[in-house]
Amino acid sequence: MFTSTGSSGFYKAPLSKSLLLVPSTLSLLLALLLPHCQRFFVYDLQAVKDDFQIWRLICGRIICLDLKDTFCSSLLIYNFRIFERRYGSRKFASFLLGSWVLSALVDFILVEAVRYSFSITAAKNLPSGFLAPVFALFVPFYCSIPRVQVAQILGPLSITNKTLIYILGLQLFTSGSYIWILAISGLISGICYNSKMLQVHQVLCIPSWMAKFFSWTLEPIFSSSEPATEARIGMGATVDIQRQQRMELLDRQLMLSQFAQARRQRQQQGGMINWNRLFPPLRQRRNINYQDGRRSEQQASPPLEVSEEQVARLMEMGFSRGDALEALRASNNDLNVATNFLLQH
């Protein structure tokens, strides 16, 4: 929708689809048909502390009572579905669970710090909903999603494929008086989990048996079919930018089709894929003097050096080292394109 990463829809993202549909539907029902039941979903830390209403830590942190928060968080979950495609539903769910639990602890700390420092009681005024994990997802979004410039405005300022996501996050950040507490706690928990601090990722994770159970029961309900080949409309403000984006789209589609063909051949014959024989690199195909580029390709060239860090990241997603190496070489060390290769084929 906003980013240029991955295809549209919820293909290979059943958890993201459920997180978008179920809480949003319940939020609408509470706002329109069952307003008298909203008191059971208020995120009241004062009641948790004084009256031991522990259940509010669960009910108050799942469903948004403000429809503006529901809309913004749903859009962000839709765009962050790329992480479920990259890491798999189990690892994505583990991140959400870990950040959700950690943020509850950080909420208590921040509320008490605000009360002692500024004599402000914010425990009863925190917004409800699945907000802290949404803010926590900005941490891997900032660290792992490549920044691609789309248009340049006012000299050094430019619009990238990530700009609108940050604007949407800022809109959610400013939607309430004390939502900044949830935003800070979400970012802190996201940093702790993403950096594997104190081995939190090993403690707060989804067990394999639970992942298999939900895979058998809920995944068929929320799974989506693979989208057909789609042509994205460029965001470029000039004809040149739009033409360049169309060329990049054609390049990617060509590489995906040739990658699928190469994998089928390797399954039939075995062995590694010689990418240089299949298609020329992107930079040479985009060169205006393409004929000169084709003549130069006939000469032997040294293999492209591949970043071991990017290879490790692809292997963490479950791909073999051979596939990771060949995909990165084929995409000129573009982790985003290489990931799309391996995910869609």
Side-chain angles (χ1 to χ4, degrees), residues 22 46 56 107 145 175 196 217 225 271:
V22 176
Q46 194 68 38
R56 290 192 180 275
D107 286 346
I145 298 298
S175 63
K196 301 180 181 180
T217 56
S225 58

Side-chain angles (χ1 to χ4, degrees), residues 134-178:
V134 172
F135 283 108
L137 285 169
F138 275 97
V139 176
F141 179 75
Y142 174 81
C143 296
S144 62
I145 298 298
R147 179 179 177 271
V148 179
Q149 181 175 331
V150 176
Q152 190 168 358
I153 57 175
L154 299 178
L157 299 178
S158 61
I159 297 177
T160 70
N161 59 328
K162 303 169 70 172
T163 300
L164 291 179
I165 304 298
Y166 289 131
I167 293 176
L168 188 59
L170 182 62
Q171 171 66 32
L172 183 62
F173 181 82
T174 57
S175 63
S177 301
Y178 296 102

Side-chain angles (χ1 to χ4, degrees), residues 15-310:
L15 179 59
S16 300
K17 185 177 182 180
S18 63
L19 288 176
L20 190 146
L21 293 180
V22 176
S24 299
T25 302
L26 294 176
S27 180
L28 288 173
L29 289 176
L30 289 174
L32 301 178
L33 300 179
L34 303 171
H36 57 282
C37 296
Q38 289 186 351
R39 67 180 185 274
F40 296 110
F41 297 91
V42 174
Y43 186 30
D44 189 350
L45 288 182
Q46 194 68 38
V48 175
K49 180 181 178 182
D50 297 340
D51 302 330
F52 298 100
Q53 297 180 4
I54 308 298
W55 54 272
R56 290 192 180 275
L57 290 176
I58 300 176
C59 296
R61 306 181 71 238
I62 295 178
I63 302 174
C64 293
L65 300 181
D66 191 333
L67 293 182
K68 297 191 302 296
D69 295 345
T70 301
F71 179 74
C72 291
S73 60
S74 298
L75 288 179
L76 289 171
I77 289 174
Y78 177 80
N79 284 276
F80 289 150
R81 75 199 185 283
I82 183 62
F83 296 115
E84 185 175 3
R85 291 174 179 168
R86 285 191 174 188
Y87 308 133
S89 297
R90 181 189 175 188
K91 191 172 181 179
F92 182 66
S94 297
F95 179 89
L96 294 178
L97 174 64
S99 59
W100 189 71
V101 174
L102 287 175
S103 60
L105 177 61
V106 180
D107 286 346
F108 272 106
I109 297 175
L110 291 178
V111 165
E112 292 299 319
V114 170
R115 185 170 67 88
Y116 281 109
S117 301
F118 307 102
S119 300
I120 298 176
T121 302
K124 294 184 177 182
N125 300 310
L126 295 178
S128 303
F130 197 71
L131 299 176
V134 172
F135 283 108
L137 285 169
F138 275 97
V139 176
F141 179 75
Y142 174 81
C143 296
S144 62
I145 298 298
R147 179 179 177 271
V148 179
Q149 181 175 331
V150 176
Q152 190 168 358
I153 57 175
L154 299 178
L157 299 178
S158 61
I159 297 177
T160 70
N161 59 328
K162 303 169 70 172
T163 300
L164 291 179
I165 304 298
Y166 289 131
I167 293 176
L168 188 59
L170 182 62
Q171 171 66 32
L172 183 62
F173 181 82
T174 57
S175 63
S177 301
Y178 296 102
I179 197 172
W180 61 270
I181 294 179
L182 301 183
I184 294 176
S185 67
L187 293 174
I188 292 175
S189 61
I191 292 172
C192 292
Y193 200 95
N194 194 60
S195 62
K196 301 180 181 180
M197 187 180 301
L198 302 177
Q199 303 298 317
V200 176
H201 65 288
Q202 295 183 358
V203 179
L204 300 175
C205 64
I206 302 296
S208 58
W209 63 266
M210 184 179 296
K212 292 180 180 179
F213 173 77
F214 286 112
S215 175
W216 294 334
T217 56
L218 298 182
E219 186 173 351
I221 300 176
F222 295 103
S223 61
S224 300
S225 58
E226 183 176 1
T229 303
E230 54 188 12
R232 295 192 178 95
I233 300 176
M235 294 176 57
T238 66
V239 177
D240 292 336
I241 294 177
Q242 294 179 1
R243 185 182 297 112
Q244 180 182 359
Q245 290 175 343
R246 292 190 186 97
M247 291 174 61
E248 292 175 353
L249 177 61
L250 292 175
D251 280 335
R252 178 168 297 184
Q253 291 175 349
L254 177 61
M255 294 175 69
L256 286 174
S257 63
Q258 292 176 331
F259 179 81
Q261 180 182 1
R263 288 184 70 115
R264 287 194 296 267
Q265 293 177 355
R266 189 183 63 173
Q267 290 175 357
Q268 296 174 358
Q269 302 175 0
M272 299 294 292
I273 303 173
N274 190 344
W275 293 95
N276 293 328
R277 292 188 304 173
L278 289 174
F279 50 87
L282 276 175
R283 294 179 181 176
Q284 293 182 1
R285 284 210 311 274
R286 291 173 185 166
N287 196 323
I288 299 177
N289 300 323
Y290 174 65
Q291 297 298 330
D292 296 338
R294 290 186 60 184
R295 287 193 296 269
S296 63
E297 286 171 9
Q298 297 176 357
Q299 302 176 357
S301 57
L304 180 66
E305 293 185 2
V306 177
S307 172
E308 287 297 329
E309 181 182 358
Q310 293 180 342

